[in-house]
Amino acid sequence: MRDIVRYLGIDTRAQLLAERLWQYLDEPSSGIIAAFLRHTRQSAVGGLLDDPIIERLMAEQKEHWCSLFNSGFDEAYQRRATLIGIRHRELGLDSKWYIAAHASIKARFAEELLLRTKFPLPLKSALLVTLEKYAAVDLAIVLSSYSSWLAD
Ligand code: HEM
């Protein structure tokens, strides 16, 4: 994982940008996650979701995005990301659904940033690049745990 972080050029500056990104996304993320869960419930994998699970996932997903952007990829974050892959796999949620879900939430975060902030363009661009890089690390860890948990 450290190699991927280095490869993506995530350094101290990127960590500061990620924290700044979450300061902005913290509030709108609740509505974005709620809309995502409503939409997912109507989809072909919606049978996995019921009201109590949705309530739990509202909190757990928000906590996950928060720790992605603020933890510096610490052990607690890595454990959480690994558990997501394991849990989804246990549930029989194919990784293609996870990839699509991840992309749709990331796209909504990007829209918030691009359309609803008045940051100068260079800062918007730096925050968008940071979003892409952090989302890539997150996806990489979860997808690795999808495929490797049986071997571990
Ligand atoms: C970006 C996309 C997603 C994120 C960040 C995410 C995150 C999480 C997290 C943090 C957990 C708890 C894992 C644990 O046990 O520690 C979880 C479980 C679960 N996820 Fe996802 N998930 C995503 C996509 C999906 C999709 C597309 C579905 C499809 C229905 C789904 C269904 C579930 C279900 C049913 C559980 C178990 C909930 C429970 O029993 O409490 N997730 N997910």
Side-chain angles (χ1 to χ4, degrees):
M1 205 273 301
R2 287 285 151 202
D3 290 341
I4 297 283
V5 169
R6 230 188 333 269
Y7 174 74
L8 287 166
I10 295 176
D11 53 13
T12 310
R13 177 175 174 267
Q15 184 59 52
L16 291 172
L17 284 165
E19 286 163 19
R20 180 138 187 211
L21 184 64
W22 185 253
Q23 278 167 16
Y24 179 70
L25 290 175
D26 188 2
E27 197 258 309
S29 69
S30 301
I32 290 171
I33 293 167
F36 157 75
L37 288 169
R38 275 198 303 277
H39 179 63
T40 305
R41 200 169 183 179
Q42 305 306 317
S43 75
V45 289
L48 292 171
L49 303 173
D50 61 19
D51 287 341
I53 288 178
I54 284 188
E55 203 170 308
R56 275 204 298 277
L57 287 178
M58 274 293 302
E60 283 177 5
Q61 288 203 2
K62 181 155 178 165
E63 185 56 36
H64 179 67
W65 289 106
C66 177
S67 77
L68 169 63
F69 294 119
N70 293 289
S71 67
F73 306 113
D74 65 9
E75 238 178 76
Y77 159 77
Q78 288 186 52
R79 194 168 340 107
R80 180 188 294 273
T82 303
L83 280 176
I84 292 176
I86 293 172
R87 186 80 184 102
H88 285 174
R89 180 157 171 163
E90 281 171 354
L91 290 162
L93 180 71
D94 193 289
S95 56
K96 69 185 173 216
W97 281 94
Y98 180 72
I99 293 168
H102 205 269
S104 80
I105 294 183
K106 185 182 70 177
R108 285 290 297 110
F109 285 170
E111 271 179 356
E112 279 293 322
L113 177 66
L114 294 176
L115 303 178
R116 294 194 215 290
T117 63
K118 294 197 179 354
F119 297 140
L121 198 53
L123 178 56
K124 272 192 191 189
S125 165
L127 290 168
L128 189 62
V129 168
T130 303
L131 171 63
E132 285 293 340
K133 289 181 176 182
Y134 274 68
V137 174
D138 194 47
L139 198 59
I141 296 178
V142 174
L143 291 182
S144 294
S145 66
Y146 250 92
S147 53
S148 66
W149 73 285
L150 277 174
D152 288 343

